[in-house]
Structures are given as structure tokens and as C-alpha cells.
Amino acid sequence: MNWYSLVKKTHSTIEINSATKTIRRLFKKNLIDYKQFSTIINVLESRDLCARDIMLPRVDVIAIDINSHFKALQRLIARTTHSRFPVYNSNIDDIKGILHIKDIFSYFYEKNEKQKQAHIKKHLTQPFFIPESRKIFDILKDFQHKHQQMAVVVDEYGGFSGIVTMEDVLEEIIGDIKDESDNEKETVIKLAANKFSIDARADLETINDITGLTLESDKAETLGGYIIDLLGYVPKLGAIVSSDEVHFKVKHKRGNSLIRIHVKLPEQNQKKNHKSHAPAKSSTKER
């Protein structure tokens, strides 16, 4: 079955829903296996996603100032697992190119600092810019035609919004892709019977499935957004937000972005309806 052709032929929500029902029937009748089923469903459901939905946002992007000292670049490379970095000139909205670390490894032990800086500029590849509204399958075709692995996402004013990689696109379409360098923390880590460490960017549906909670919000889709919606502002590091006997503690944040949250459930957790308009309290007291 050519699932890509199937996607191209579905031009409306009604057609997508119809195609999804057809695929589910085929799976129930054992005419396609689970891998085929999940791949096709992912493709259909990701059809309307755009760069804005899948990009790594500006606040989380690790970028390099072209005027930085070469030693600072070496330290940056040593503490990350990334192979490509956007490079800007003084202002991150002024992206000059993409640097692949394999192109500059041989210059790490060169003594002349000016020559090192020249090597960085020499090995920059032309940045590939896309608008936030670019559809996911159009981005995939762009990557294939331009032989690119990373795109720089810009907003309607030309400002830097984030980056999208080939891996981001493929993960949305066919599912999670892991390699030997993927050593980031899991989205949800169980610390105790009633305590979890959770990525603030995890969606509420996933958290509910794992913890047994029923978190809901009309304004937020992620745990971080849910907490900010409860309070009406961004909490400080160490702040504890309580709602219906569930305690959320901010364990890690970067700027105004919440990164990691510890969630403590009631001793006997019952599935309650935790809505964003429920009363919340915030404290910096350690627990």
C-alpha cells in the first residue's frame, strides 16, 4: 500500500477521517500489521502539522555567535550531543549559516585564534529558511530536494522562531527515532509510588495516562502551560503549586520556560478532574 499517495489524495478533514476508519478496519481484519497501521495513522494525523507545531522553539535552541571565542565553542560542543548549530552575528535574529562540528574538529588544536575564527566562517553552510506555516510534508520535500538536514524557522516579520530538523519531521510521521546519542531524560520518570519527575513540555494526555490524573485546561496542552495557566504567571524556580491535593514543584527552568516539574500525588490517588480554573497556591517553600 502506498500510504504517501493516500495522504496526497486526502484533501479535507472528512476524507482524512474516512481514510482513518478504512485503515482501522483493515487492521482489525488483519489485512495490515501493527507497524503498517501505526505508520499510516501517524501520516494521516500529521498531515496538517506545520513548522510551528514541530519546531524546537527559539528559547531552547543552542546557537553560536560567530564572534565567540573558539574555546567557548569547544566547551559548548563538549557539553552537547548536537552535530549542527545555527550560527548568528551578534543578534540571534541574524542567522548567518549552519555549522557542522565535523567540519571544524581538525582545527581544535590550532594555535592561531584568528585562523580558527576564519575556519568557522569558511565552513558555514547557507541557512535554509522556512515560514512557521510551512506544512510538514512540504518541509520533508524541501529537505529531500535541497539535501538539507536542518531548517531555520522564521515568523511573519522575519524574526528567528526556532529550528526543524529532518529527524523532527520523520519522528512526527513514523514515530520516535532513537540513536546512541539520545541520552536525554525520559518524559516521565517515576520517583516513588506517588511522585513523578515530568518534562514540562509533556502533553497533558500523556501525563494523565501514566499518572492516573485527569488534568484539563482550555488554554494549555503541556504541563508547563497548565501550571502557568493555574497561576496566571510564570512561577519561580523551587515554587510549589498545589491544586486538589496534587503538588507541582518547579525543579528546572530556563528563563521564562519551565523545563522539569516534580509532581506529588495524593497518597491514595483517585481520578479527579483537575481543571485549569481550580484554585491554586504557589510557594517557594521546599518540600
Side-chain angles (χ1 to χ4, degrees), residues 18-36:
S18 176
T20 301
K21 289 178 181 178
T22 299
I23 297 305
R24 292 187 187 281
R25 283 199 298 270
L26 292 174
F27 177 61
K28 287 180 179 179
K29 293 180 180 180
N30 294 320
L31 296 177
I32 58 174
D33 61 28
Y34 179 75
K35 185 176 181 180
Q36 291 172 315

Side-chain angles (χ1 to χ4, degrees), residues 7 10-21 44-45 47-48:
V7 173
T10 54
H11 299 292
S12 69
T13 301
I14 294 175
E15 288 176 324
I16 291 175
N17 290 340
S18 176
T20 301
K21 289 178 181 178
L44 289 170
E45 291 181 346
R47 182 180 180 277
D48 289 327

Side-chain angles (χ1 to χ4, degrees), residues 248-263:
F248 306 92
K249 183 174 182 179
V250 181
K251 292 294 292 183
H252 183 204
K253 63 179 295 193
R254 184 185 300 119
N256 285 326
S257 298
L258 304 183
I259 304 298
R260 201 88 192 165
I261 307 295
H262 279 193
V263 180

Side-chain angles (χ1 to χ4, degrees), residues 82-196:
H82 302 313
S83 58
R84 293 177 177 83
F85 297 88
V87 177
Y88 62 93
N89 184 16
S90 300
N91 187 330
I92 198 169
D93 285 314
D94 185 19
I95 301 293
K96 293 299 185 184
I98 306 298
L99 181 67
H100 198 304
I101 59 173
K102 69 177 178 60
D103 294 328
I104 59 169
F105 266 139
S106 59
Y107 308 121
F108 274 21
Y109 301 102
E110 191 170 298
K111 294 182 179 180
N112 190 309
E113 189 65 30
K114 288 185 178 180
Q115 286 186 358
K116 286 182 178 181
Q117 295 299 122
H119 291 315
I120 293 177
K121 296 177 182 179
K122 175 183 176 182
H123 288 289
L124 288 184
T125 58
Q126 191 72 20
F128 163 43
F129 295 101
I130 59 172
E132 292 181 347
S133 58
R134 188 73 169 163
K135 295 291 187 181
I136 188 169
F137 281 98
D138 291 328
I139 299 172
L140 179 59
K141 286 189 287 186
D142 290 338
F143 281 145
Q144 292 171 329
H145 293 160
K146 297 178 181 294
H147 304 289
Q148 296 276 2
Q149 294 289 322
M150 177 183 287
V152 178
V153 185
V154 294
D155 61 25
E156 58 185 311
Y157 304 105
F160 176 59
S161 292
I163 58 172
V164 170
T165 65
M166 174 70 89
E167 184 175 340
D168 295 329
V169 172
L170 294 178
E171 283 189 342
E172 288 294 339
I173 295 173
I174 64 175
D176 194 28
I177 299 172
K178 294 287 185 182
D179 61 37
E180 62 273 13
S181 66
D182 285 341
N183 56 3
E184 296 180 358
K185 284 187 177 180
E186 295 178 30
T187 300
V188 179
I189 301 172
K190 190 170 185 178
L191 303 176
N194 67 330
K195 191 174 182 180
F196 297 83

Side-chain angles (χ1 to χ4, degrees), residues 216-232:
E216 290 183 0
S217 173
D218 295 330
K219 299 179 181 178
E221 296 180 355
T222 65
L223 178 59
Y226 173 81
I227 292 172
I228 293 172
D229 189 33
L230 277 175
L231 295 173

